[in-house]
Structures are given as structure tokens and as C-alpha cells.
Amino acid sequence: MQLENGARLIGRWMTQEQDGYIEVLAIWEYDDRDAFERIEASVRADAEHMKRVDDWKEKMGGKHSLQNVFYNIEQDFLESTVSVQQE
């Protein structure tokens, strides 16, 4: 949904399992913080998407069960240190 609403997936990586944990890192690019907020609002306003998310959560045992799977979710906002030239 983020892609359909204008976000750009730069990459997604995961670590090898260690002590029963796997870390997943996804880097998304947005034009700016306002674009991020607009895209997130559009995603959350999409009733079909939210239904798919809710159905998936239920299939996985419910929201409380997922707390044992996704033990830590973080969002950081980074600024590039490289000058980007637009064409």
C-alpha cells in the first residue's frame, strides 16, 4: 500500500536467526515528513487494506499473540548527508 501511495522501498534486509530472533530492517523513502504523513493516512484510510491487515492478525492468533512475534517495532526518520541533484 505504501508503494501504491507514493513511498519508495529502498531495500529490506534481515539478519540470520540468533537466539531465536531475526531482525528485519526496511528503508522507505518519502519526499519529506509531510509526504510520509499523507501516505500513512491514505494507507490507514483504505478500508480494504485495513480489513486485510485485521484478517491477517486474526489468522496469526490475534493482536496479543503478535506481541510475542513483533517484540520491538521502531520508526526512525533519517536525513541524507548526500546532496541529491534532481533532474
Side-chain angles (χ1 to χ4, degrees), residues 1 6 26-28 32-33 51 53 57 60-61 77 86:
M1 287 304 301
I27 297 179
W28 290 89
D32 52 34
R33 183 95 180 212
K51 171 94 170 84
V53 170
K57 287 178 184 177
M60 300 303 290
F77 296 90
Q86 296 182 345

Side-chain angles (χ1 to χ4, degrees), residues 50-66:
M50 296 309 295
K51 171 94 170 84
R52 286 191 302 270
V53 170
D54 289 341
D55 290 348
W56 178 83
K57 287 178 184 177
E58 195 61 36
K59 179 182 173 184
M60 300 303 290
K63 183 178 179 179
H64 295 292
S65 291
L66 290 174

Side-chain angles (χ1 to χ4, degrees), residues 16-79:
Q16 291 187 357
E17 182 180 337
Q18 184 174 346
D19 298 327
Y21 294 99
I22 297 173
E23 184 175 350
V24 177
L25 171 69
I27 297 179
W28 290 89
E29 181 179 29
Y30 302 87
D31 293 333
D32 52 34
R33 183 95 180 212
D34 288 339
F36 164 78
E37 290 173 6
R38 280 191 308 277
I39 290 168
E40 285 296 305
S42 293
V43 169
R44 285 185 168 82
D46 186 306
E48 288 182 28
H49 171 71
M50 296 309 295
K51 171 94 170 84
R52 286 191 302 270
V53 170
D54 289 341
D55 290 348
W56 178 83
K57 287 178 184 177
E58 195 61 36
K59 179 182 173 184
M60 300 303 290
K63 183 178 179 179
H64 295 292
S65 291
L66 290 174
Q67 291 174 345
N68 297 324
V69 176
F70 299 105
Y71 72 95
N72 186 23
I73 298 174
E74 295 179 20
Q75 287 187 334
D76 293 318
F77 296 90
L78 309 172
E79 293 184 27

